[in-house]
Amino acid sequence: MEQIELVKILLKNSYINFLLGAGTSYNKVEGKMNFPLMGDLLNFIKEDVKVLEFYNSLKKDTTIPVGLGDMLASLYDEYLFSPDANIEKFLSVLEGVDLYIVDIDFRNTVEEQRNYIRRLIRDRLNNSDEDTVINNYISFYNGLKKVKEVNGLKNQIFNIFTTNYDMMNEMAMESQNIHYYSGFEGIVNRKFNLAYYNYDFVDTFQVNHANVKVIPNHMNLFKIHGSLSWCMKEGELIERNPYEEKFLPEIIYPSVDKFKNTNLIISYSALMREFSNRLCQEHTTLFVSGMSMGDEHINKIIENALTINTFHMVIFCATSDEIIKLQEKYKAYRNVIVMERTYKFCDVADLMQNL
């Protein structure tokens, strides 16, 4: 059976989930600042003058407690400047190092460096040109609306999981009048509330009314690595408009240090638990786009789901090298489909429109 035909069958006969990575927001356009891939973001940070100045000072600054400068420099070498470096792993390690720093002044210095890097990430994403990718996202979500209509799935809620911090999913859905829930409730003080992911949203509701009409275009958005719109206020995770006021966004990554912030780690754990629960339902399909599949925590959850016979994963790759790599990675699994032609996110959006 051709892959496209199998995709059509899965869309019609299973619970639908999408996992969108950095590649979905990447679209290089001449003369415009594109959203970065994770590798681009890593290079942007490690080439920053102030980051390099801090790194070079670690072995020279005589005010740093003995041994701590060398230890921290070695972490930069391994997690920021090595060929297989990863920005989220680097930030995770940089936060966890607090457990080994007794000197308060140096701990504050390291925290300033962490916050500076978070500002770099915030500003790089906020300065990215939304016009480079917004039409791809709009086309994608209109395609999902069409999939629902064509396959009689108006009452099924599609779950969109993303590791991206940007606001492109929200902007696209709002521009197309798609109702979505992203984890927060309230207007003035928008607080994280996981419970609403399990609610149905209806057009009308009357007590004892037998035929409740579920809103057909509702979708759930899970930003499992945080967002430009998230911040901590008095120990609570809240949502703010990232375009109105400058603040440090919460980028979530597994870190020992994060356990000091109970509410944030609870939120992160809850989101990952939802990811696991949604995938482990019978007759579920996960469509993946823009992901390198290099996140160990996400991979563990997917591997657990792959033990379920009725679970399927369909992966869209942007390059031929990625296709070969992931075909090899998942060659033992009959319920994994690595699409045999390359698909950028705009191609995935077109595919959803034309199935």
Side-chain angles (χ1 to χ4, degrees), residues 214-225:
V214 177
I215 291 177
N217 290 327
H218 174 74
M219 298 186 193
N220 283 331
L221 176 64
F222 299 83
K223 302 186 82 169
I224 54 181
H225 279 191

Side-chain angles (χ1 to χ4, degrees), residues 104-335:
I104 295 176
D105 289 337
F106 186 57
R107 186 185 298 173
N108 290 337
T109 300
V110 173
E111 184 177 358
E112 288 174 9
Q113 171 77 176
R114 284 199 304 263
N115 288 340
Y116 176 72
I117 292 173
R118 289 168 68 192
R119 283 194 293 272
L120 285 178
I121 293 172
R122 176 199 66 194
D123 294 343
R124 176 63 181 85
L125 291 175
N126 278 340
N127 291 331
S128 299
D129 199 319
E130 295 156 356
D131 291 342
T132 60
V133 291
I134 187 62
N135 289 333
N136 293 341
Y137 277 92
I138 288 173
S139 180
F140 171 71
Y141 281 108
N142 282 332
L144 294 191
K145 285 167 61 176
K146 185 176 178 182
V147 165
K148 282 191 170 191
E149 293 168 3
V150 170
N151 294 314
L153 302 174
K154 291 183 178 181
N155 288 343
Q156 185 183 147
I157 297 174
F158 287 178
N159 298 309
I160 315 296
F161 295 90
T162 180
T163 57
N164 292 354
Y165 322 129
D166 64 55
M167 306 300 292
M168 301 312 299
N169 288 284
E170 293 93 329
M171 290 177 63
M173 285 190 277
E174 289 176 17
S175 73
Q176 302 306 299
N177 298 315
I178 295 174
H179 185 273
Y180 69 94
Y181 182 64
S182 60
F184 294 82
E185 61 170 331
I187 301 297
V188 178
N189 294 305
R190 292 182 54 76
K191 297 181 180 180
F192 185 77
N193 186 345
L194 191 72
Y196 276 68
Y197 280 120
N198 297 311
Y199 291 174
D200 283 331
F201 292 82
V202 300
D203 286 333
T204 59
F205 183 82
Q206 298 174 10
V207 178
N208 298 324
H209 186 57
N211 298 312
V212 175
K213 185 180 179 183
V214 177
I215 291 177
N217 290 327
H218 174 74
M219 298 186 193
N220 283 331
L221 176 64
F222 299 83
K223 302 186 82 169
I224 54 181
H225 279 191
S227 174
L228 286 176
S229 63
W230 294 11
C231 69
M232 297 300 297
K233 181 179 180 182
E234 297 176 354
E236 285 195 282
L237 182 61
I238 66 170
E239 185 174 48
R240 301 168 68 172
N241 187 331
Y243 302 103
E244 288 182 358
E245 187 175 352
K246 296 287 186 182
F247 60 90
L248 286 178
E250 289 298 339
I251 298 170
I252 302 179
Y253 33 82
S255 166
V256 175
D257 183 69
K258 285 296 181 186
F259 282 91
K260 294 192 299 185
N261 193 329
T262 306
N263 282 340
L264 187 59
I265 197 62
I266 286 174
S267 301
Y268 171 78
S269 299
L271 286 167
M272 296 305 287
R273 186 169 61 249
E274 282 296 308
F275 184 51
S276 177
N277 291 343
R278 307 277 168 160
L279 296 197
C280 289
Q281 294 183 78
E282 290 286 330
H283 304 288
T284 291
T285 299
L286 177 67
F287 292 92
V288 180
S289 178
M291 293 286 294
S292 64
M293 306 306 289
D295 190 302
E296 296 174 6
H297 302 271
I298 291 175
N299 287 344
K300 286 293 183 184
I301 291 173
I302 290 174
E303 286 169 12
N304 287 337
L306 286 170
T307 63
I308 302 171
N309 290 333
T310 59
F311 173 81
H312 290 83
M313 179 167 65
V314 180
I315 306 176
F316 299 98
C317 299
T319 68
S320 298
D321 288 343
E322 286 180 356
I323 292 175
I324 294 170
K325 174 186 172 183
L326 293 179
Q327 283 178 336
E328 178 65 23
K329 180 181 178 71
Y330 293 107
K331 65 181 180 181
Y333 296 96
R334 298 181 61 185
N335 47 351

Side-chain angles (χ1 to χ4, degrees), residues 7-62:
V7 166
K8 289 181 180 179
I9 292 172
L10 292 173
L11 283 169
K12 187 174 182 178
N13 296 289
S14 59
Y15 293 107
I16 306 303
N17 302 269
F18 281 85
L19 176 60
L20 306 180
T24 56
S25 291
Y26 178 79
N27 185 33
K28 212 160 189 178
V29 177
E30 189 69 31
K32 295 188 176 183
M33 182 176 286
N34 58 278
F35 281 90
L37 295 171
M38 295 306 291
D40 299 330
L41 202 55
L42 180 76
N43 290 331
F44 177 71
I45 290 167
K46 71 182 184 182
E47 292 168 3
D48 181 81
V49 173
K50 288 187 178 181
V51 172
L52 289 172
E53 285 178 353
F54 179 79
Y55 167 70
N56 291 327
S57 73
L58 291 173
K59 294 183 179 181
K60 300 176 182 178
D61 191 342
T62 57

